Amino acid sequence: MKRVYMDHSATTPVRAEVLEAMMPFLTLTFGNPSSLHWFGREARKALEEARDKVARAIGAAPQEIIFTSGGTESNNLAIRGVARARREKGNHIITSAIEHHAVLDTCLALREEGFEVTVLPVDEHGKISLDQLKAAITDKTILITVMMANNEVGTIQPIAEIGRLAHERGVTFHTDAVQAIGNLPVKVDDLNCDLLSMSAHKFYGPKGVGALYIRKGTSIKVFNFGGSQERKLRPGTENVPGIAGMGRAIELAVDGMEEKVKHVTGLRDRLIEGLLKIGDVRLNGHPTDRLPNNVNVSIRYVEGESLILSLDLKGIAVSSGSACTSGSLDPSHVLMALGLDHQTAHGSLRLSLGYRNTREDVDYVLEVMPEIVARLRAMSPVYACKTKEVE
Ligand SMILES: *Cc1c(COP(=O)(O)O)cnc(C)c1O
């Protein structure tokens, strides 16, 4: 069967070059980087080479990169680490309503420890307001955490301006840039951020490995103990094969990014145009400030889950809202924050493109989608009432 994968915001395949970079550390040079012998020294060398590559890709210094197990751990380390380190100065944290759960739930959990959390609303396109942010900052504010690009609707936030506002008031600024690497230019000095989260499996690296950028001089307090790895911020034997893979993957992600972005942007716009032609379909997220690979639509009178299963039967892999929340019946917190009603949110579909997708893939989706939507709508009692009204 023809298979079309359009779920790259959930995860991406490991590139052949990345696997090749990982192999030696699963086989011949399998040493522990803390060991003094040759096996250990080879592993240590790989670790530091990967650190250099990650640092170079985002315009940081190697000492500012800490390897973790992925985006979730990086977000936890950044938020909890800064909150604890700056507790003396204040207890106020600002975030946004459309953050990934790894950010939102971490902030909300800190409420139970006496922190106050302001969750900024977003407009209908998913953008926070800089005026509202400015007004929310108090003398007790210690941390702002706002994502660079949203994983569900693709909206890009004005990160550099947020960072500037934070620094004017002596507030530490963290951004979850997991969806941005390989899709947008990410340079920490241009973004005015103090901490930045990354995850390898979102840019053709392996799963279970990520990194946190921590600007030199940023206070962070550890909460895991056991060893002196990663400057004691992330104790435990390092995932050397994964880290070596991440180093190679970020190099490839940043290399020739413009061309890949141009390719997926073309596919994205063709897909959006075709989907809107189906009728009773709306685009979610920002019309222009959106990830080059993100399409998120609400298709009236159908259920996202039914649509996904029907598309799966045709070999097409997409998702409804966020893969993390599928399996629950609650509509996505992101779509609700954009002001969608329950029914519209439930009929939403996310198609996230990769550089390997082709025009043929897009045309195949556009060919099967109208038939599936028509069939599902024919079974929908709500749709039957609607067509009666029109008659
Ligand atoms: C995928 C994702 C995460 C979580 O990353 P993992 O490496 O899967 O833990 C965090 N934030 C965003 C925006 C994501 O898309």
Side-chain angles (χ1 to χ4, degrees), residues 70-72 75 100 147 151 176 178-179 199 201-202:
T72 300
N75 286 337
H100 189 275
M147 73 200 316
N151 49 302
D176 173 346
V178 169
Q179 292 289 338
S199 174
H201 77 101
K202 301 289 175 82

Side-chain angles (χ1 to χ4, degrees), residues 349-389:
L349 210 60
R350 178 188 71 185
L351 305 97
S352 44
L353 298 150
Y355 73 94
R356 286 174 184 163
N357 281 130
T358 61
R359 223 175 130 116
E360 287 71 45
D361 292 345
V362 170
D363 291 344
Y364 177 59
V365 171
L366 292 176
E367 181 193 315
V368 303
M369 192 77 96
E371 296 163 21
I372 293 174
V373 171
R375 186 167 48 77
L376 292 175
R377 278 180 177 168
M379 295 189 298
S380 156
V382 192
Y383 190 66
C385 295
K386 184 237 175 189
T387 35
K388 271 231 173 64
E389 270 168 32

Side-chain angles (χ1 to χ4, degrees), residues 173-242:
F173 176 46
H174 164 252
T175 189
D176 173 346
V178 169
Q179 292 289 338
I181 305 284
N183 281 319
L184 302 170
V186 178
K187 294 287 179 202
V188 290
D189 284 346
D190 296 342
L191 296 174
N192 298 327
C193 63
D194 301 303
L195 304 105
L196 180 143
S197 301
M198 295 164 262
S199 174
H201 77 101
K202 301 289 175 82
F203 51 85
Y204 304 87
K207 293 168 185 61
V209 58
L212 178 64
Y213 157 77
I214 309 173
R215 185 179 293 278
K216 190 169 176 286
T218 305
S219 315
I220 188 158
K221 199 166 172 186
V222 299
F223 46 83
N224 283 331
F225 300 90
S228 58
Q229 293 95 342
E230 301 299 295
R231 299 188 5 238
K232 289 195 174 172
L233 288 172
R234 208 282 182 164
T237 304
E238 303 88 343
N239 174 3
V240 181

